[in-house]
């Protein structure tokens, strides 16, 4: 994910305050006229609109995708297309920077894929979205998705979370870019991270 996410609060009616349901929020996301190059997600109960990844992230994304595709579970595909995956229990909807999922999940009707179809997600951090990648998404993905990769583009390192549980991931390991990192089952291979680094973002006014 990249710079300047914008949260859209769903305001209550002045006369009749009620809770907006998860399904209604998803419907709102679907109906948003999101500008080209932007995506909308449900983060912390709010609709957050943020731009897709920077141009210089394309190369590391393609390198990661090609390695994951070669070791993906049968009938699973790796992609970076802008699909929203739903997590009803957590009332969240995320559009991962890169995902590996059961291809059958995309034969369903609608525009929101089942988060349970994911075998791996990867997020590329930016200055403005790294908190969500490191905190909320670790918690939500950690209850369901077998493997979660956080590519910290500011720290030039990659962290692998695995072994999900109702309380989150039970295991994690971190390696600097340039050092191999083992990706556990259902992938079970050593990821070459030598060419994943890009010029770090510089801190400044947001």
């Amino acid at each position: 994910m990249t710079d300047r996410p914008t949260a859209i609060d769903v305001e209550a009616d002045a006369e009749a305050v009620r809770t907006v349901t998860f399904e209604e929020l998803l419907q709102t996301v679907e109906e948003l006229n999101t500008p080209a190059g932007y995506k909308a997600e449900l983060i912390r109960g709010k609709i957050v609109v943020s731009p897709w990844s920077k141009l210089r992230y394309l190369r590391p994304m393609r390198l990661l995708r090609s390695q994951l595709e070669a070791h993906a579970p049968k009938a699973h595909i790796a992609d970076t297309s802008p699909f929203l995956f739903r997590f009803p229990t957590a009332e969240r909807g995320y559009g991962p920077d890169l995902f590996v999922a059961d291809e059958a999940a995309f034969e369903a009707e609608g525009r929101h894929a089942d988060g349970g179809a994911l075998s791996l997600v990867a997020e590329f951090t930016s200055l403005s979205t790294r908190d969500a990648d490191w905190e909320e998404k670790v918690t939500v993905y950690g209850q369901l998705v077998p493997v979660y990769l956080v590519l910290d583009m500011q720290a030039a390192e990659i962290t692998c979370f695995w072994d999900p549980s109702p309380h989150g991931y039970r295991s994690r390991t971190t390696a600097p870019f340039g050092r191999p990192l083992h990706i556990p089952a259902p992938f079970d291979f050593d990821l070459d991270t030598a060419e994943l680094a890009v010029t770090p973002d510089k801190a400044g006014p947001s």
Side-chain angles (χ1 to χ4, degrees), residues 53-95:
S53 299
K54 296 179 179 179
L55 293 176
R56 57 196 174 90
Y57 283 18
L58 174 64
R59 185 167 179 273
M61 281 184 171
R62 291 184 67 183
L63 290 167
L64 178 60
R65 176 182 172 180
S66 65
Q67 292 189 64
L68 292 172
E69 280 183 323
H71 300 276
K74 185 177 180 180
H76 281 226
I77 58 172
D79 209 338
T80 57
S81 296
F83 288 108
L84 195 74
F85 288 87
R86 52 185 290 153
F87 299 86
T89 301
E91 297 190 344
R92 297 294 189 266
Y94 298 144

Side-chain angles (χ1 to χ4, degrees), residues 77-148:
I77 58 172
D79 209 338
T80 57
S81 296
F83 288 108
L84 195 74
F85 288 87
R86 52 185 290 153
F87 299 86
T89 301
E91 297 190 344
R92 297 294 189 266
Y94 298 144
D97 289 327
L98 187 152
F99 65 84
V100 182
D102 189 336
E103 191 169 15
F106 302 96
E107 297 173 0
E109 294 294 330
R111 299 179 61 183
H112 311 127
D114 178 12
L118 291 160
S119 53
L120 180 147
V121 290
E123 301 284 7
F124 289 67
T125 68
S126 70
L127 292 173
S128 58
T129 62
R130 66 199 312 264
D131 286 349
D133 295 336
W134 276 112
E135 296 173 9
E136 173 172 312
K137 291 187 177 182
V138 171
T139 300
V140 176
Y141 289 147
Q143 297 177 30
L144 184 65
V145 182
V147 181
Y148 175 37

Side-chain angles (χ1 to χ4, degrees), residues 139-195:
T139 300
V140 176
Y141 289 147
Q143 297 177 30
L144 184 65
V145 182
V147 181
Y148 175 37
L149 302 179
V150 179
L151 288 89
D152 195 316
M153 308 307 283
Q154 292 70 54
E157 62 183 22
I158 178 172
T159 296
C160 177
F161 294 89
W162 74 96
D163 194 10
S165 79
H167 302 290
Y169 289 111
R170 298 186 182 95
S171 302
R172 64 179 286 178
T173 186
T174 299
F177 290 156
R179 182 180 301 172
L181 177 70
H182 186 73
I183 308 300
F187 295 84
D188 194 22
F189 77 104
D190 290 334
L191 177 71
D192 181 358
T193 71
E195 298 184 80

